[in-house]
Structure formats: C-alpha cells, structure tokens
Amino acid sequence: MTIQENFSLKNHNTFGVDVSAKYFAEVHSVGELIEVLKQNPTHALTNTPTQQLFLGGGSNILFTKNFDGLVIQLDLKGVSEQIINENEVLVTAKSGENWHEFVQFCLNKNYGGLENLSLIPGNVGTSPMQNIGAYGTEIKDVFVSCKVLNLETLEIEEFDNEKCRFGYRDSIFKQEGKGKYVILEVTFKLTTKNHLIKTEYGAIKGELEKMSVDNPTIQDVSKAVIHIRQSKLPDPKVIGNAGSFFKNPTISKERFQEVQIKYPEIPHYPSGDLVKVPAGWLIEQCGWKGKQIGNVACHNLQALVIVNATGNASGREIFDFSSLIIDSVKEKFGIELEREVNII
Ligand code: EPU
C-alpha cells in the first residue's frame, strides 16, 4: 500500500470529472486502512476528517474542485454466507464489492431480496449510507447490520438496522455519523425459497408483460429492472452521471393541493403526513429535459439525471447547472429541490 501524490480522480467518479487528490491510497484490508489512516500526511497539518475522503464506486459524488487531502479508495473484497433456517440466509459482502455483481451473485444462488435493486451503480459499502432504493425496495428492507471502523478510536463497531436510522435516501452515516465511520462490510438477510416477489411498481408489471412472464421468479424481476433502467438511465461508463441528482421532494398536503389546482396532472405519492412528488416531473415541466448548456445536460429520458454530456464538464459547471434547475423549480412550483449527490 502506497500513498500517491497529485492523483487524478477522473476514473474514480462516475461523473468523469477531472480533478485530483493531493494524496491517494487504495486499501485492500482493514489492516491497510488503519495503517494509511495513521500515516495520513495531512494529519500533521489539520488532523480533521474533512481532510480524508473515503471512496467506494464514486457513483454518488460530485467533485467541484481538487481535493486537498487524502482520498482512500476502499477495495475490501469478499462475500460469505450463513444459512440460518430453511428459508433464510445471511449474506455478508465487504464494502469494495461492486453492488450489481453482488446482486447477481445472490440471484445465481437463488437468494431473494435484492433483485429490485439490480444495476444500481456503486459498491456494497456505500449502499447503507443513502439507503439505496429502486422499484419498490430499499436496502433497509433486507439489511441486518454493518461493521464500521470508528475513525476516532480506530475500533470496529457494529450497527444494526435500527441504529442506522434509515430514511428515504438517508441514514445516520449522512447525519450525525457523517465523517465518523467507514463502512467495512454489510450483512443482508435474504430468502432461499418462498421469495417475496415485488412487482407493485407499475413499470415492472409492464416490463414483465412485455417479457411474456406470468409467474415471475426473482431472476425475472431482476431482468425486468435491468431492462427498465437501461431504457431510461444513462450508463455511467458511456456518459458521466451519478443517477438521480436530486431527491424527490416531500411537501405538506396544503402546499400540494395549491400546486395541484394549477397542475391537476401532477404525479404524487403519499409519504406519511406529507406528499411526495417526483422531481423528474417538476424538472421536465420547467423545460429542462434534454437541455444542454456547455458541457452539461439534463438527460433526455429521465430529467432527474444530470449528465456530463461532452465528457469535459467540470464539477463546478455541473453544480451551477443543478443550481439553475433548483431556481427554476422554485420559481415555477415554490418547491425547493434538494441535491441527492454528495458535493465535495
Ligand atoms: N417523470 C417525469 N419526467 C421525467 C422523469 C420522471 O415526468 O423526466 C415522472 C414519471 O412519469 C413518473 C414519476 O416521475 O410519474 C416517477 O418516475 P420514475 O419511476 O422514473 O422514478 P423517479 O421518482 O424519477 C426514483 C429514484 C430512482 C429509481 C426510480 C425507480 C429517487 C431520487 N430516484 O426515480 O433512483 O431508480 O425511482 O424506483 O428517489 C437513483 O437514486 O440514482 C435512482 C435512479
């Protein structure tokens, strides 16, 4: 394990933004991680965690400038399984495992629970941070626990589902635990038979019909999700992006009714006492879908996604583009969009 200097992060963030890290190290074990934390050359200057950044798949991050500290790429690998009864198995994956490959590994073993989360970019280790979710499933539905390294004590701790305080695209790791822990491995409870097939998300039903599947298996659901995602979400290997750039906002029922009077066709979903509205729809109504300014564009098939259209966008340009979107949604609907992507 070596610490490199002035290291380009272009291949380490799915936006493909060309920034550099003052120091960069890739770690393959907890031992290496602790060693690099102790060696961190910036410690002498600052001794604060803001000078350290942990990267997984780099799929939910926007670098707006060079990083003036140490970036640690977590490359811990390995998957283990423990059958706990005739219906269920505990599967533990180290943080550096690629998420989609891990989902496919589980599907090949006929372990159910993650199929609706197929093809989400990123690594296992970052999945609990924002409680990744898609097509009617969030990881909190199957999450048992994760092991983390406490950055203050350098001790390993365990967080169970409750302690993670999962919410919509949210967890303790984005709130009071921010910058305090590194996720090392995650354990999921999956089914080995009598799988719960979740097809209530409209698009899945339609896709399964197109596939002429009447009694879907978990593998069929995964295929349907892959088809849907491929049909409207850009592949970060082809065009830089970080998936949904904004969260879907939740607003009060009163506020929603005011908007609905003006825009009766507005899609919406109940969310406790609030109403959730799709940011993609709001952004499209403001005329952004498919629009490009300089190197940055709003994706032409899903307005919630901002893309590095030319491959040459700077993080600042992408950030400024997102600000223009926020301003116009605010002006038209009086609704404040919140960025989902981590801005550095
Ligand atoms: N819509 C539009 N225009 C658009 C995009 C969407 O009108 O350009 C409307 C759709 O017609 C539909 C509604 O918005 O009525 C919802 O659209 P969609 O099913 O595509 O889902 P989403 O709410 O836009 C969320 C997640 C996605 C996830 C999908 C499917 C968030 C921030 N995003 O998007 O997650 O794949 O649901 O479950 O919650 C991600 O986090 O990176 C991500 C892609």
Side-chain angles (χ1 to χ4, degrees), residues 255-323:
R255 179 81 204 98
F256 173 72
Q257 277 155 8
E258 283 164 25
V259 181
Q260 200 185 26
I261 289 170
K262 243 175 134 183
Y263 305 93
E265 71 288 9
I266 183 170
H268 57 283
Y269 320 95
S271 176
D273 288 341
L274 302 169
V275 181
K276 188 182 271 191
V277 291
W281 186 87
L282 298 169
I283 297 167
E284 182 172 350
Q285 296 306 306
C286 293
W288 284 99
K289 197 167 183 173
K291 194 165 170 177
Q292 182 167 344
I293 301 180
N295 296 304
V296 187
C298 178
H299 190 51
N300 56 352
L301 301 173
Q302 163 55 290
L304 197 49
V305 179
I306 296 181
V307 298
N308 180 352
T310 61
N312 296 320
S314 70
R316 195 69 230 176
E317 261 182 292
I318 295 171
F319 183 83
D320 290 347
F321 187 91
S322 71
S323 299

Side-chain angles (χ1 to χ4, degrees), residues 137-284:
T137 299
E138 290 180 325
I139 73 149
K140 74 166 173 48
D141 305 336
V142 286
F143 176 98
V144 176
S145 61
C146 60
K147 283 205 175 125
V148 303
L149 185 73
N150 180 321
L151 288 168
E152 262 170 43
T153 61
L154 295 187
E155 302 276 334
I156 293 178
E157 295 177 18
E158 189 159 310
F159 278 56
D160 64 13
N161 194 312
E162 199 184 330
K163 198 171 168 191
C164 288
R165 293 216 226 113
F166 290 122
Y168 166 61
R169 295 292 193 276
D170 200 22
S171 75
I172 192 165
F173 304 109
K174 283 178 88 173
Q175 302 295 335
E176 62 268 40
K178 194 173 177 175
K180 293 190 183 153
Y181 306 98
V182 186
I183 297 172
L184 304 172
E185 62 177 48
V186 188
T187 299
F188 302 94
K189 195 200 277 180
L190 305 177
T191 47
T192 52
K193 55 183 175 190
N194 305 325
H195 304 301
L196 181 66
I197 305 285
K198 287 195 189 171
T199 57
E200 68 272 23
Y201 203 93
I204 295 192
K205 276 203 190 95
E207 194 61 39
L208 288 167
E209 272 166 31
K210 269 198 239 161
M211 290 159 59
S212 310
V213 174
D214 291 334
N215 286 312
T217 61
I218 50 174
Q219 291 79 9
D220 292 328
V221 173
S222 169
K223 275 188 200 133
V225 167
I226 291 173
H227 288 167
I228 302 167
R229 289 190 77 95
Q230 284 176 336
S231 71
K232 59 181 189 179
L233 293 170
D235 179 353
K237 288 195 194 91
V238 180
I239 183 159
N241 76 89
S244 301
F245 197 92
F246 304 98
K247 288 186 190 181
N248 285 331
T250 39
I251 55 176
S252 69
K253 283 186 181 141
E254 295 71 36
R255 179 81 204 98
F256 173 72
Q257 277 155 8
E258 283 164 25
V259 181
Q260 200 185 26
I261 289 170
K262 243 175 134 183
Y263 305 93
E265 71 288 9
I266 183 170
H268 57 283
Y269 320 95
S271 176
D273 288 341
L274 302 169
V275 181
K276 188 182 271 191
V277 291
W281 186 87
L282 298 169
I283 297 167
E284 182 172 350

